[in-house]
Amino acid sequence: MVLQIIHTCLPDKKILALLRCSMKIAETVKDLSEKLSRAREGGCSIGFVPTMGALHSGHISLVERAKRENTLVLCSIFVNPAQFNDPADLEKYPRTPAADIEMLERAECDILFMPPVSEIYPQGEVQGEYDFGYLENIMEGRFRKGHFKGVGRVVARLFRICGPVTAYFGEKDFQQLAVIRMLVEKYHLPARIVGCPVIRENDGLAMSSRNVLLSAAERKDAVLVSRALFAAQEKAAGLTISEVKKLVHGILKSSPLIRPEYFEIVDGDTLLPLAQWEDAAFIRACIAVKIGHVRLIDNVPLNVPPA
Ligand code: PAF
């Protein structure tokens, strides 16, 4: 199956290179479990990078960190239907399996798990219903109903399949990271979670698999999202929270292509909105916008010294 996908996407020379690759590809839970058991018998610690594919340098930075901190790196590629509230969004989500395999091979990933839907959600299996309380209803949750339940479902399933791992997630999905930390703690899953910094393009745009869906004009204006966040970072100490919000919305308004969904200044631990700087020691500014049909999210820490 994987070789079939590669065949349709790559010229022969590249196929030969991939056939020589040392990264093992598992498509079934049974195959993956056997590979991981053998690795654990050999004393390996496992670093795990779950993804939905369409990989970019942000994902590779997670693989590299996992590589530095573990003896074996496992990556998964699974476009999880359960976390898409909009079927059109699932349909157009970028899929680049051949390029992903090449990137992972180059990053010296050891095992790639690339299951079909039937392996993750086998028929008849009772799916867990995970509850993240207010965390699943604020910010992203307001615009993507059921999204975090879907994320919880797949991540819990992956952690149970893999057994004990250290798992690496990007801070670009800041709320997702908080949800996954809660998932592990509340449902006693065998994973240690490591959050890793946002990786950006040269102009500041946060790397995302969705960036390739932007038209040239949209891509040009998308830079305003990070520019607005950096302005908030720079000016926060001299402004009130509502003045920072005005500043950010003013910058976003300079593009007719950008439709802001939310800009929130939150306690970085609880993700609850702040009324005043003094209410939290660790502060995060989080944003979501739509540009054309593409939804982008980003966030930065705000350092506001105590008054
Ligand atoms: O961040 C992602 O790519 C996905 O939400 C994840 C964590 C792999 C679950 O499908």
Side-chain angles (χ1 to χ4, degrees):
M1 163 78 167
V2 168
L3 281 179
Q4 239 170 8
I5 298 170
I6 298 169
H7 251 289
T8 55
C9 309
L10 282 182
D12 282 353
K13 256 193 187 160
K14 286 200 169 170
I15 294 169
L16 282 176
L18 283 177
L19 289 176
R20 280 196 296 268
C21 81
S22 51
M23 180 173 72
K24 307 267 185 300
I25 300 179
E27 292 179 76
T28 62
V29 171
K30 184 170 177 291
D31 186 15
L32 178 68
S33 305
E34 284 168 5
K35 286 182 168 48
L36 293 180
S37 299
R38 273 199 298 276
R40 286 198 178 96
E41 277 160 25
C44 284
S45 65
I46 294 164
F48 179 31
V49 181
T51 80
M52 297 207 297
L55 302 183
H56 49 68
S57 307
H59 295 112
I60 297 305
S61 74
L62 303 180
V63 172
E64 286 167 353
R65 169 116 183 234
K67 191 100 202 141
R68 285 197 298 277
E69 297 179 0
N70 301 273
T71 39
L72 182 142
V73 177
L74 163 70
C75 180
S76 65
I77 295 181
F78 179 68
V79 182
N80 173 34
Q83 72 188 74
F84 286 82
N85 50 327
D86 173 3
D89 190 25
L90 171 61
E91 175 77 18
K92 66 172 190 265
Y93 197 82
R95 291 161 172 87
T96 55
D100 292 348
I101 292 171
E102 261 199 290
M103 282 176 88
L104 289 172
E105 172 66 16
R106 232 179 291 127
E108 298 179 14
C109 173
D110 300 290
I111 304 177
L112 168 60
F113 182 42
M114 251 182 143
V117 174
S118 56
E119 285 289 311
I120 297 296
Y121 300 122
Q123 264 188 359
E125 184 173 303
V126 179
Q127 298 296 338
E129 183 71 4
Y130 298 96
D131 175 18
F132 306 109
Y134 73 88
L135 257 191
E136 60 184 282
N137 297 318
I138 57 173
M139 295 199 286
E140 288 300 286
R142 270 176 43 225
F143 292 87
R144 304 186 72 187
K145 292 277 170 243
H147 168 66
F148 288 121
K149 289 217 185 294
V151 170
R153 216 174 248 186
V154 77
V155 173
R157 172 89 174 116
L158 288 169
F159 285 167
R160 289 197 173 105
I161 292 169
C162 296
V165 290
T166 300
Y168 297 80
F169 294 89
E171 284 183 346
K172 184 180 78 67
D173 296 288
F174 197 70
Q175 191 173 356
Q176 169 174 280
L177 186 56
V179 162
I180 290 171
R181 287 191 200 282
M182 183 186 272
L183 174 79
V184 166
E185 204 180 307
K186 188 166 169 184
Y187 299 97
H188 312 291
L189 295 171
R192 186 172 76 85
I193 304 301
V194 177
C196 303
V198 181
I199 304 294
R200 299 181 179 281
E201 302 288 354
N202 288 338
D203 65 0
L205 177 68
M207 286 195 184
S208 161
S209 303
R210 293 174 192 271
N211 291 352
V212 297
L213 300 173
L214 295 165
S215 70
E218 290 163 352
R219 172 63 186 84
K220 192 161 159 277
D221 283 10
V223 72
L224 290 173
V225 176
S226 54
R227 206 172 283 163
L229 289 180
F230 298 151
Q233 243 180 348
E234 197 188 315
K235 302 270 165 60
L239 300 176
T240 63
I241 288 182
S242 62
E243 284 167 342
V244 173
K245 287 188 174 175
K246 257 193 217 145
L247 172 75
V248 164
H249 283 290
I251 294 172
L252 298 178
K253 267 202 191 111
S254 62
S255 164
L257 302 179
I258 296 183
R259 300 189 308 284
E261 287 194 339
Y262 63 80
F263 170 68
E264 298 279 10
I265 294 178
V266 299
D267 179 322
D269 290 316
T270 63
L271 271 61
L272 289 170
L274 288 183
Q276 48 187 17
W277 299 123
E278 294 72 35
D279 291 348
F282 169 45
I283 302 168
R284 208 88 187 180
C286 301
I287 197 165
V289 305
K290 266 198 143 173
I291 307 189
H293 295 296
V294 186
R295 195 164 179 282
L296 299 178
I297 60 172
D298 197 353
N299 68 86
V300 290
L302 297 185
N303 295 314
V304 184

